[in-house]
Amino acid sequence: MKLVVVDYESGNLRSVSRALETCGVAPLVTCDPDELAEADAVVLPGVGAGPSAMNALNERGLVQPLRDFTASGRPFLGICLGLQLLLDWTAEEPGASCLGIVPGQVIRLPDEQNDKSLKIPHMGWNSVALSQEHPAFCGIESGSYFYFVHSFYADPQDREGVVGTTEYGLPFCSAYAKDNVVATQFHPEKSGPVGLRIYRNFVAMAAGGY
């Protein structure tokens, strides 16, 4: 199996690679667009700002290859910023067009709830309410806790793809999964055994030719 982790200097590549290695896969970490075309599965990790991340993807010629890969039906996993970049647009200053794979936009989390201030970024453990079954979340109970670090959230127009929601000032999409495209706002690689289960499920999707 050829599993590619996309390197565009915006992701926690080491921890993601280690998580995949525990699942029995030796991932190829690369920024080479041609490697995406030959991959059986792709992981797009991400931390930091959306506009600068899009600049990095454009500079490396990765935007269209990522679009082509998700359209091919092969398994794709986006992590944290990797979820947000799937959408059409991010409101993070100064704003930027994103990959346009999932219709919708990226919005900043609210600063207040019920007259109480909220710490931004949203950082730490929080629960995810899973509403739909998908192979990527097989064996994971609704209400399981995962680790988050983010100030913005994805707001997909396609609500059928929103399989997980989390409360922080408002209910937001913390997991998206539709067909071959899976993405999480939280970091599975930092979420202990339940997070590693997502990686194992994703690897199984790739091995099964999802």
Side-chain angles (χ1 to χ4, degrees), residues 154-210:
D155 185 25
Q157 293 178 12
D158 177 14
R159 305 313 293 180
E160 290 183 2
V162 178
V163 299
T165 57
T166 296
E167 292 274 349
Y168 195 76
L170 79 176
F172 66 87
C173 170
S174 53
Y176 181 92
K178 189 169 185 180
D179 300 327
N180 62 306
V181 176
V182 180
T184 65
Q185 184 60 67
F186 52 83
H187 288 272
E189 69 282 356
K190 296 181 179 181
S191 299
V194 70
L196 290 178
R197 180 61 186 262
I198 292 176
Y199 281 110
R200 287 199 298 270
N201 289 341
F202 181 73
V203 169
M205 285 173 58
Y210 185 92

Side-chain angles (χ1 to χ4, degrees), residues 1 28 50 56 70 75-76 82 87 103 107 115 135 140-141 156 173 175 180 202 209:
M1 181 195 305
L28 172 63
T70 57
F76 172 93
L87 276 66
I107 305 170
D115 298 325
I140 298 174
E141 293 184 5
C173 170
N180 62 306
F202 181 73

Side-chain angles (χ1 to χ4, degrees), residues 102-179:
V102 176
Q105 59 183 332
V106 178
I107 305 170
R108 193 177 192 274
L109 286 166
D111 295 309
E112 295 184 357
Q113 180 185 36
N114 299 328
D115 298 325
K116 295 181 179 180
S117 62
L118 293 171
K119 291 184 178 180
I120 303 296
H122 170 216
M123 182 180 299
W125 295 84
N126 207 339
S127 62
V128 175
L130 294 170
S131 59
Q132 297 185 36
E133 293 184 0
H134 187 278
F137 298 96
C138 179
I140 298 174
E141 293 184 5
S142 180
S144 294
Y145 278 74
F146 296 88
Y147 190 82
F148 291 83
V149 183
H150 65 117
S151 300
F152 287 74
Y153 69 95
D155 185 25
Q157 293 178 12
D158 177 14
R159 305 313 293 180
E160 290 183 2
V162 178
V163 299
T165 57
T166 296
E167 292 274 349
Y168 195 76
L170 79 176
F172 66 87
C173 170
S174 53
Y176 181 92
K178 189 169 185 180
D179 300 327

